[in-house]
Amino acid sequence: MEAIEELAVQPCTSSLYLRPFRLSYRQNGTKKFWDFMRTHDSVSILIFNTSRQCFVVVKQFRPAVYMCEVERHHPQIFQNKDKESFTSLETPLPAVVGVTYELCAGIVDKPGLSLEEIACEEVLEECGYRVSIADLRRITSYRSGVGVTGSRQTLFYAEVNDQMRASGGGGQPEEGELIEVVEIPLEESMKFAYDETFPKTMGVIFSFMWFHNNIAPKLPKK
């Protein structure tokens, strides 16, 4: 996961996932414009293993996070953004600066499948647990990246146990996925959520808080 080499930033002229636009509009009599990206909606799943009393999350390298850190250390990397030739970084930062902890998640790009069906597929592919639609509880949906994409993410909750483990997970290598499955013990989860030394998404923090408010009080007392 952390063997990152031969970095080069290039113009993105086409993408399967991002489409840039500029919206011109008038608001309260003032003419404005805003640049934004259209991208896929997504699902995410908070997974709790009842056998181990732990949350199951994923850990992976995120190029966008990595490049934010690169720019912070090497501001010149994006100075040629309007030119054909971009800067190559001969001494890249360690890949660990771009590794984040996240909920199991996936984009909504299969028109024939429901959100629940996509969520079940992602749990199996990324974390190795076989769950059914009946195992899912819809928590809520919300907008993410409201200043850039405005896409909708739908959050589900699923309880699993060791008997439901069908594989080691890890994503789909043929699609370039390289995912590590990580278990966060319940008793350490809120400390983990607020520990800034573990880079994580807001979905992790929010869902852990939701669990402690809605599920934890109903768990059998030790």
Side-chain angles (χ1 to χ4, degrees):
M1 181 181 295
E2 299 181 4
I4 303 298
E5 303 171 299
E6 301 179 7
L7 273 76
V9 181
Q10 305 167 353
C12 180
T13 56
S14 65
S15 171
L16 296 174
Y17 308 104
L18 302 173
R19 291 175 292 149
F21 296 95
R22 172 167 292 183
L23 175 68
S24 298
Y25 62 102
R26 189 177 295 276
Q27 185 178 29
N28 291 353
T30 301
K31 190 169 179 59
K32 299 180 179 181
F33 71 87
W34 193 267
D35 298 335
F36 67 98
M37 291 275 191
R38 284 299 302 125
T39 187
H40 294 286
D41 290 340
S42 61
V43 297
S44 60
I45 309 94
L46 172 63
I47 305 171
F48 182 68
N49 185 315
T50 58
S51 300
R52 301 174 183 270
Q53 292 290 290
C54 68
F55 295 106
V56 182
V57 301
V58 297
K59 179 180 175 184
Q60 57 187 318
F61 175 78
R62 290 297 194 180
V65 175
Y66 180 81
M67 290 310 297
C68 284
E69 290 299 306
V70 168
E71 185 179 21
R72 192 162 65 87
H73 289 82
H74 304 280
Q76 77 283 0
I77 192 71
F78 290 116
Q79 289 179 354
N80 295 327
K81 59 186 173 68
D82 295 322
K83 299 179 181 179
E84 288 298 320
S85 177
F86 273 55
T87 304
S88 295
L89 198 60
E90 295 181 358
T91 55
L93 297 177
V96 68
V97 302
V99 172
T100 60
Y101 294 83
E102 310 169 18
L103 297 179
C104 172
I107 61 174
V108 178
D109 62 346
K110 299 172 182 175
L113 298 183
S114 66
L115 296 180
E116 290 79 6
E117 288 171 322
I118 293 174
C120 290
E121 284 191 353
E122 294 299 333
V123 173
L124 180 60
E125 292 173 3
E126 293 192 358
C127 298
Y129 291 93
R130 193 177 302 280
V131 300
S132 68
I133 292 177
D135 296 320
L136 296 177
R137 171 177 173 178
R138 180 175 176 140
I139 298 177
T140 190
S141 65
Y142 44 82
R143 297 289 180 175
S144 59
V146 292
V148 181
T149 68
S151 59
R152 182 189 296 274
Q153 183 166 89
T154 302
L155 174 62
F156 295 96
Y157 170 65
E159 290 185 358
V160 300
N161 55 51
D162 287 347
Q163 287 68 44
M164 298 166 68
R165 193 76 183 265
S167 72
Q172 296 182 303
E174 65 274 14
E175 294 184 4
E177 292 183 327
L178 182 59
I179 295 172
E180 179 181 341
V181 181
V182 179
E183 296 182 344
I184 308 296
L186 174 59
E187 63 271 17
E188 300 175 14
S189 58
M190 291 313 299
K191 179 181 178 181
F192 172 84
Y194 288 103
D195 188 340
E196 295 183 12
T197 63
F198 296 101
K200 65 189 72 67
T201 62
M202 179 54 70
V204 171
I205 300 173
F206 169 76
S207 62
F208 281 13
M209 292 176 64
W210 174 88
F211 182 96
H212 279 272
N213 288 332
N214 294 275
I215 305 298
K218 304 173 186 178
L219 294 176
K221 302 297 182 181
K222 291 184 178 180

